[in-house]
Amino acid sequence: MHLSILSIGPMLAFVVTIYLIFKHPTIRIPFTKKYIYIDYGFAPIIGLIVLFATFSLGINTVTRGIIGGAGVKPYSIVILIMSLSYICVSLDFTGFFEYLSLRVARFSKNSSKRLFLYFFLLTAFLSLFTDNDTVILTMTLITFYMCRNAGINPIPFLFAQFFAVNIFGMTLYIGNPTNIVAAEFYGLSFTEFAKWMILPSVVAAALCMFLIWMIFRRSIPSRFKPSPIDPSSAIKNRSGALFGSIVLGLTIVFMSLPSSLTHAPLWGIALFFALVMFLHDVVAYRSGISNISSRVPWEIVPFLIGLFIVIESLASTGWTELFGSQLSKVSWSPITSIFAVCFLSSLATGFMNNYPMTLFFVRAFQSSTFTATHTAKLGSTLALIAGSNLGANFTLIGALAGLMWAKILSDKGHPISFKEFSKYGFLIMPIVIIVTCVVLSIELMIL
Amino acid sequence: MYKRMLLCVTSATPKDVVETAVRLCFKETEVQVLHVVHLLNDFVRKEVSKEFSWIIDTFKKAGIKCDLEIVESTDVKNAIISFAKKNSSDAIVTGVIPRKGLLGFFSESISDYVVKNAPCTVILVRKAGQLA
């Protein structure tokens, strides 16, 4: 399919959507005194309005965007992401993650080096199965409390945590919603995903931690002034924390079992455990349930559905086929495809956010013009998963969590500019990405 | 002058903002110092009380009745609006940091949202020469 004049509308809608994902402006409703806040969930809806206005939105596009096709069901991805979010939000509400952070801080005694290492490892551990926003919110605040009481500079700790979150997010299927999108499109199961991604994540994280340590080592004192910490003061609901961790653990265990044993899709398993958690919360909190539900990122539902439709319209007007044919030129072997896709996708993530980037790439992989071999396609998918996570460390707009992180730092009196963050991102990440690609290539050759 | 004032604070709130709020008060003004946290537990309550004790002391020294209110929410801007509505605040005082560059362009402005949605007067205080 070739591009035509009709292809302009979907691209315009795509660009408007990406712009609004970052900008989230407040717009006054004409002839009233009311304002609408365009948050990231609303952004693709405006994109759909642009599609409609440019006569690019057909009923088929909408249907394919929601129901899907070729084995991929966008609605199942949305259910899976929301169910996992609910379990994590509910567990976070009990104070469990803060409790873990304080306990780890206490283990470091009064050694700053140990605190740096333990916080890096704890962030890595939490980001394996919770969403990046929850980890960043919890760990950033605890780091500020710890560093203020200890009288040490929090910036090296905060950078290490932010980078660790995005690197370890690629380890497991449930580490980042973009992993789920890419894995679902290729048909990777939970265990297959882990089989391919654990080693690259561990190597990338170890290298990244070493590089961050080399950069910041002079601003981390060897010892700090200990302050009395009582980790149990962070727990709001002890039985809820225990129940929530069991539910989260069971969700991961059941999702990692082969589907021949569970006889259920991954989204079904996640939904079941989310409902169990919800019923527990209704009984345990009663009126407090609204507090938990207000923390669930409901915006993701219109955001993803809208984005699926916008991408579908790009696909139906030839954009993804054009991109797929260009990718084929560099994907003549699994290794070239890994390097090309990983670098392209991580750079694209840094400047257009990981969600639209991942969706655009996977649709390009599905197009008939992407003529790579089966192994090269697998390599491209794995590289895309790595790129969508690692690219978020290039700039603060690579992932929505980046803007939130920058906002917390500013509110805590440590503002960081886009330029300053990118300076570290572009210094560290190209090396980390090269090593990740090398590990992925070796895996693909051996396994 | 205002009867019930809401002062929104973060760790980055400069002394200028608090001093301006003190100047806007009279003896009968009730000031509520609001800080929004992601999760409110005993640990956070203790840390936040310690962190903002200087603000409470500043008001008390000026002879103004003042309380620290810690609200739990993941949506700071709406938490401020809801709190102002619930407590029938006459005025919301908040600091503002004009940001420049790409991040400034994309950063969400809580003060801008508060100005557009508040049920009462909003006073934005910018520290002289402050630009992040």
Side-chain angles (χ1 to χ4, degrees):
Chain A
M1 183 187 282
H2 294 287
L3 296 182
S4 66
I5 190 81
L6 289 173
S7 306
I8 297 170
M11 185 45 84
L12 183 68
F14 188 56
V15 173
V16 167
T17 303
I18 291 172
Y19 173 76
L20 291 173
I21 287 171
F22 297 126
K23 183 62 185 159
H24 29 80
T26 308
I27 298 171
R28 187 171 177 176
I29 304 170
F31 314 113
T32 67
K33 286 182 178 176
K34 293 199 166 162
Y35 290 88
I36 317 177
Y37 176 64
I38 313 285
D39 61 9
Y40 75 90
F42 217 125
I45 307 298
I46 304 287
L48 295 185
I49 293 170
V50 173
L51 280 179
F52 188 73
T54 53
F55 308 105
S56 313
L57 190 65
I59 190 75
N60 282 343
T61 312
V62 176
T63 312
R64 278 200 308 272
I66 299 170
I67 308 294
V72 178
K73 302 180 192 77
Y75 70 87
S76 69
I77 294 175
V78 174
I79 293 172
L80 182 52
I81 292 170
M82 292 310 293
S83 303
L84 290 169
S85 276
Y86 182 82
I87 296 170
C88 289
V89 162
S90 176
L91 184 55
D92 179 41
F93 190 69
T94 64
F96 178 71
F97 297 135
E98 290 209 355
Y99 167 80
L100 267 187
S101 314
L102 290 176
R103 191 151 277 283
V104 166
R106 210 157 73 157
F107 283 147
S108 67
K109 305 274 181 348
N110 55 347
S111 163
S112 306
K113 283 179 191 168
R114 268 205 294 265
L115 186 69
F116 184 83
L117 175 68
Y118 291 172
F119 267 16
F120 188 89
L121 294 177
L122 176 67
T123 310
F125 173 71
L126 292 179
S127 58
L128 288 178
F129 47 83
T130 57
D131 63 281
N132 292 355
D133 290 11
T134 305
V135 183
I136 284 174
L137 264 174
T138 308
M139 292 302 295
T140 307
L141 297 177
I142 292 289
T143 302
F144 271 111
Y145 292 134
M146 283 299 302
C147 291
R148 194 180 58 231
N149 289 334
I152 48 180
N153 179 10
I155 292 296
F157 293 83
L158 295 168
F159 264 98
Q161 280 163 18
F162 189 82
F163 279 50
V165 162
N166 287 318
I167 293 175
F168 267 94
M170 69 177 175
T171 317
L172 293 185
Y173 182 94
I174 55 172
N176 192 342
T178 55
N179 298 356
I180 297 172
V181 173
E184 281 286 308
F185 270 87
Y186 187 81
L188 281 175
S189 71
F190 190 96
T191 36
E192 279 172 331
F193 189 102
K195 184 185 90 179
W196 292 112
M197 296 310 294
I198 284 177
L199 190 60
S201 310
V202 172
V203 174
L207 176 65
C208 181
M209 203 191 83
F210 171 73
L211 293 172
I212 293 175
W213 175 258
M214 290 307 285
I215 292 169
F216 290 110
R217 68 188 187 281
R218 287 197 180 90
S219 44
I220 304 171
S222 56
R223 307 200 81 72
F224 66 86
K225 190 178 68 190
S227 56
I229 303 169
D230 177 16
S232 59
S233 63
I235 287 276
K236 286 171 71 177
N237 181 347
R238 197 174 291 270
S239 59
L242 185 67
F243 186 84
S245 4
I246 291 169
V247 168
L248 181 60
L250 286 175
T251 311
I252 295 169
V253 169
F254 274 83
M255 285 180 89
S256 59
L257 292 175
S259 56
S260 55
L261 269 178
T262 56
H263 300 290
L266 291 181
W267 65 268
I269 295 170
L271 182 63
F272 170 78
F273 283 109
L275 287 172
V276 170
M277 195 80 169
F278 176 73
L279 289 175
H280 166 268
D281 292 346
V282 169
V283 176
Y285 298 109
R286 289 184 186 91
S287 58
I289 190 74
S290 61
N291 203 343
I292 299 176
S293 61
S294 70
R295 288 163 176 263
V296 178
W298 298 109
E299 304 89 348
I300 286 207
V301 178
F303 174 70
L304 273 178
I305 296 282
L307 214 49
F308 272 119
I309 298 170
V310 171
I311 298 290
E312 198 54 49
S313 71
L314 281 174
S316 62
T317 49
W319 285 103
T320 52
E321 289 204 351
L322 176 72
F323 186 58
S325 68
Q326 298 304 311
L327 274 180
S328 291
K329 288 178 186 168
V330 290
S331 301
W332 47 271
S333 83
I335 295 173
T336 55
S337 66
I338 285 175
F339 274 86
V341 172
C342 197
F343 266 96
L344 267 176
S345 60
S346 55
L347 284 171
T349 289
F351 293 99
M352 64 188 265
N353 187 272
N354 52 2
Y355 280 96
M357 183 285 297
T358 307
L359 284 171
F360 188 73
F361 269 69
V362 288
R363 286 301 274 126
F365 293 165
Q366 283 193 323
S367 68
S368 56
T369 53
F370 185 62
T371 53
T373 61
H374 179 72
T375 318
K377 278 189 179 172
L378 172 63
S380 303
T381 306
L382 299 175
L384 173 63
I385 291 163
S388 71
N389 286 276
L390 300 178
N393 287 341
F394 271 125
T395 68
L396 280 169
I397 57 171
L400 294 169
L403 288 172
M404 186 184 74
W405 184 77
K407 179 85 183 80
I408 298 172
L409 261 64
S410 172
D411 286 346
K412 293 284 173 190
H414 291 270
I416 187 156
S417 68
F418 188 86
K419 197 173 148 190
E420 195 185 349
F421 181 89
S422 303
K423 186 179 79 185
Y424 294 114
F426 279 91
L427 189 68
I428 294 167
M429 291 320 289
I431 306 168
V432 174
I433 290 172
I434 289 171
V435 172
T436 307
C437 290
V438 169
V439 177
L440 277 175
S441 304
I442 294 169
E443 279 190 331
L444 219 54
M445 283 191 288
I446 295 172
L447 297 171
Chain B
M1 292 297 170
Y2 305 99
K3 266 180 83 176
R4 191 173 279 237
M5 180 189 283
L6 176 61
L7 172 65
C8 309
V9 294
T10 68
S11 302
T13 300
K15 216 175 163 189
D16 304 41
V17 175
V18 179
E19 285 170 353
T20 305
V22 170
R23 282 199 295 275
L24 289 168
C25 295
F26 64 110
K27 293 288 174 196
E28 285 73 32
T29 304
E30 282 177 34
V31 179
Q32 288 172 307
V33 177
L34 176 69
H35 181 64
V36 183
V37 294
H38 157 65
L39 198 68
L40 185 56
N41 49 32
D42 292 344
F43 171 75
V44 172
R45 201 187 305 275
K46 198 174 132 195
E47 289 291 327
V48 170
S49 304
K50 196 163 72 180
E51 187 179 0
F52 296 114
S53 60
W54 69 273
I55 297 178
I56 306 298
D57 292 344
T58 307
F59 279 102
K60 287 194 173 155
K61 267 183 204 159
I64 299 159
K65 198 178 162 200
C66 170
D67 289 309
L68 176 65
E69 304 283 347
I70 309 168
V71 169
E72 182 183 56
S73 174
T74 48
D75 184 354
V76 178
K77 52 190 186 317
N78 276 319
I80 294 171
I81 301 296
S82 305
F83 189 90
K85 282 181 182 165
K86 197 174 152 193
N87 292 279
S88 316
S89 305
D90 296 326
I92 301 175
V93 179
T94 181
V96 58
I97 304 172
R99 293 188 180 90
K100 62 176 182 179
L102 197 56
L103 196 60
F105 182 72
F106 285 126
S107 287
E108 183 183 39
S109 170
I110 288 176
S111 53
D112 183 50
Y113 185 88
V114 171
V115 166
K116 286 171 178 162
N117 294 278
C120 57
T121 306
V122 179
I123 300 155
L124 302 181
V125 185
R126 185 185 145 181
K127 187 184 168 187
Q130 189 181 41
L131 197 60

